[in-house]
Amino acid sequence: MTILVTGATGNLGRLIIDSLLERGADPQSIVAGARDTTKVADPRVRTVHLDYTDAASVVDAVDGVDTVILVSGSEVGQRVPQHRAVIDAAKAAGVTKFIYTSAPKATSSDLVLAPEHKATEELIAAAGLPAVILRNNWYTENYAADLARAAETGVLTAGTGDGRVASASRRDFAEAAAVVALEDGHIGEVYELGGDFAWTYSDLAAAFSEITGRRVSFVPVSSDEQVAALRDAGLDEGTAGFVAALDAGIKGGALADTDGTLARLIGRPTTPLVEGLRAVA
C-alpha cells in the first residue's frame, strides 16, 4: 500500500509522515508531496513534486498510489479549486482511500473558515471517493503568537467572550490521520476531532501565566473594538474583519464540542493545553 501525503513540508503534513513511520509504515510506501521536495524532512520517504495550483503535478503525484491524505491548503479563498485538483486526480487514478483534513462541523458551522471545507467535502462526495473525513478542531500551536505577545504585555485580548475551544496539538491530529490511513474500517466515517478538554480564553490566559511566569489577564472586547484595535496595529480592513469573525465564531461555540473521538482514535489522551503551548514557547 502506498500513501500520498500532500503538503508534506507543512506543519501538519510533516507530522503525519512522522506518525506513519512511528506506527510502522514502510518508508518507501510513503510518498511526500510538496512544492519543494528538498524541504521534505525525512530522507527515507519517497518524494514527488505536488503543487495544488499545477494540475499536471497533482495528476503525476497521485498516479499509482492507493491512499491519499489531502491536507487542506493554507491559502484561504483558493482552497476549493486547489482541493478539486487533488480530488479529480484521485478519482481518475482509482485510489482506494481518500482522507481529508476538514473543519469542525464543516457542513453546518457558521465559522468563517467552514464554507471552503464544506465545498470540499461536497466535491469528495460527488466524486464518489472512498473517503474518511477528519474534521480537525483548532491546533494549540495556533496560539504561539498570542503566547509571545502575552509574555511581553501580560494581556490576552480577544472577542471570544466565554466561548470554549477544544484544541489539541498538531501531533494529536497527525496521529489520527496516520491511524485511519493504516487501519481498515474507517471508510465512510466523518470524525469530529478535538481535544479532551474545551477551555475558555480565561483558561488560556491562566496557561500563559503558568508558562511565562507572569500574570496574564484575559481582556474580552467586542467585535467592533477588536477590528479597530487590529486596524490600529496595521492590519487591513479585510484581515481585521476576518480575525474578528473567527473570534465571533468561537464565542458562538463553533469550536467547543469534544466527545473523546480523537483520544479513542490515537489510543491515548490528547495533549493538555499547557503541554502543547510549552512546545511552542
Side-chain angles (χ1 to χ4, degrees):
M1 180 179 69
T2 53
I3 303 169
L4 170 67
V5 181
T6 74
T9 58
N11 290 325
L12 182 61
R14 62 182 175 80
L15 291 174
I16 291 174
I17 290 174
D18 290 346
S19 295
L20 288 167
L21 293 169
E22 289 166 3
R23 289 180 174 269
D26 179 352
Q28 286 302 297
S29 73
I30 301 170
V31 183
R35 288 178 178 175
D36 184 353
T37 58
T38 65
K39 295 181 179 179
V40 174
D42 197 306
R44 296 173 295 168
V45 303
R46 296 159 54 193
T47 61
V48 63
H49 174 63
L50 191 160
D51 184 338
Y52 291 141
T53 64
D54 179 355
S57 76
V58 176
V59 170
D60 289 343
V62 172
D63 183 45
V65 303
D66 303 297
T67 296
V68 172
I69 302 177
L70 172 56
V71 177
S72 57
S74 60
E75 298 173 81
V76 176
Q78 302 299 316
R79 293 192 232 203
V80 177
Q82 291 176 358
H83 296 167
R84 182 186 289 113
V86 182
I87 293 164
D88 290 347
K91 180 180 180 180
V95 302
T96 55
K97 185 183 291 185
F98 190 91
I99 300 164
Y100 174 59
T101 62
S102 190
K105 298 182 179 178
T107 54
S108 59
S109 175
D110 292 330
L111 192 68
V112 67
L113 288 173
E116 287 183 299
H117 292 289
K118 177 178 184 289
T120 300
E121 289 191 23
E122 290 171 348
L123 288 172
I124 292 168
L129 289 170
V132 187
I133 306 298
L134 304 178
R135 291 179 172 170
N136 293 351
N137 204 304
W138 241 222
Y139 305 130
T140 298
E141 292 87 346
N142 289 350
Y143 294 96
D146 296 287
L147 174 59
R149 192 177 304 112
E152 294 180 357
T153 66
V155 174
L156 169 65
T157 302
T160 55
D162 293 327
R164 291 182 174 271
V165 179
S167 76
S169 72
R170 281 196 184 92
R171 185 167 293 279
D172 297 337
F173 293 110
E175 284 191 38
V179 166
V180 300
L182 295 172
E183 290 183 353
D184 295 329
H186 297 283
I187 289 173
E189 296 290 345
V190 178
Y191 292 122
E192 298 284 351
L193 302 181
D196 294 336
F197 175 70
W199 45 263
T200 67
Y201 269 58
S202 293
D203 297 322
L204 182 61
F208 286 175
S209 298
E210 181 175 341
I211 293 166
T212 63
R214 68 173 297 177
R215 184 175 183 276
V216 176
S217 299
F218 169 49
V219 179
V221 294
S222 69
S223 290
D224 288 344
E225 290 171 332
Q226 186 175 24
V227 169
L230 291 170
R231 285 203 314 263
D232 290 344
L235 271 65
D236 61 82
E237 186 77 26
T239 303
F242 182 81
V243 173
L246 281 176
D247 279 10
I250 292 172
K251 185 176 184 177
L255 302 179
D257 290 351
T258 177
D259 64 3
T261 298
L262 178 55
R264 287 192 292 273
L265 272 178
I266 64 179
R268 61 169 176 80
T270 60
T271 305
L273 177 61
V274 170
E275 183 180 331
L277 289 169
R278 284 193 192 281
V280 296

